[in-house]
Amino acid sequence: MSSETEPRADFGDIDELGPVDYIVVEFPGNRMTGEGFPILVDLVDRGIIRIFDFAFIRKEEDGTVTALELQDLGGEIDLTVFEGASSGLLDGGDIQEAAAALEPGSSAGVIVYENTWAAPLARALRRGGAQLVAAGRIPVQALLASLDALEDPPAGE
C-alpha cells in the first residue's frame, strides 16, 4: 500500500470504520457496458459502501500495464461521479498485483471500499474486545459448482 510520504486520506475515526475490501473486476477484450455502474452509485448513495479508491487499468497483449484516466474510457459511460476517488491506499505495487490477475487484452476496475453497513457490528465487536482473525470470499462460480455437486452425487451412492 502507499508510503508514509504520500498524504493520508481522512478516514475519520479508525475505530468507527467498517470492514474495508477491494475488488478487481476484469472486462475481457476491454468491453465495458456500464451496466454495473448505476448499481455501484446506488450503493454509495444509500450509504451501504464508501469508496476509498477507484482506478482503471489496461493490460495490453504484450503484458504492458497502463493506468487509465476516467476520461480515457470513452464517452458512452459517464464515470464523472468517481473522479477524485483516491485515498492513497492503492499504490503502483497494488496496481501491478491487480494486473497480474488479468488476461492480456483486458481492462479492469480496481475498487477499495468500506462496508459501511457492517460498521455498527464491527464497532460493537471491537468494544467487546473481539478482533477479526480471518476473512474470505466464496466466488459465485465455486458456490455454483458446490451446488451442482450436491445435485449430482457420485455414482454408487
Side-chain angles (χ1 to χ4, degrees), residues 14-141:
I14 198 78
D15 290 329
E16 299 295 312
L17 281 177
V20 176
D21 288 327
Y22 73 91
I23 57 172
V24 178
V25 180
E26 181 180 51
F27 299 97
N30 296 309
R31 289 182 306 274
M32 285 181 261
T33 65
E35 188 173 344
F37 292 116
I39 296 168
L40 182 62
V41 170
D42 181 59
L43 292 171
V44 172
D45 287 346
R46 290 190 294 142
I48 295 171
I49 65 170
R50 176 170 56 150
I51 294 179
F52 291 143
D53 288 284
F54 192 87
F56 276 97
I57 56 176
R58 179 181 301 140
K59 187 172 186 178
E60 305 297 342
E61 291 295 337
D62 67 0
T64 304
V65 177
T66 306
L68 302 174
E69 297 295 326
L70 294 181
Q71 61 267 22
D72 294 339
L73 297 174
E76 61 275 357
I77 303 169
D78 181 13
L79 301 174
T80 56
V81 69
F82 298 115
E83 284 183 337
S86 178
S87 69
L89 287 174
L90 282 178
D91 66 13
D94 298 320
I95 295 299
Q96 290 300 319
E97 188 175 331
L102 300 180
E103 291 294 321
S106 295
S107 56
V110 182
I111 305 171
V112 177
Y113 62 97
E114 175 192 9
N115 292 284
T116 51
W117 62 269
L121 174 62
R123 282 191 301 269
L125 291 171
R126 285 190 291 263
R127 279 193 308 268
Q131 61 183 354
L132 181 64
V133 295
R137 283 249 150 69
I138 301 172
V140 71
Q141 296 87 341

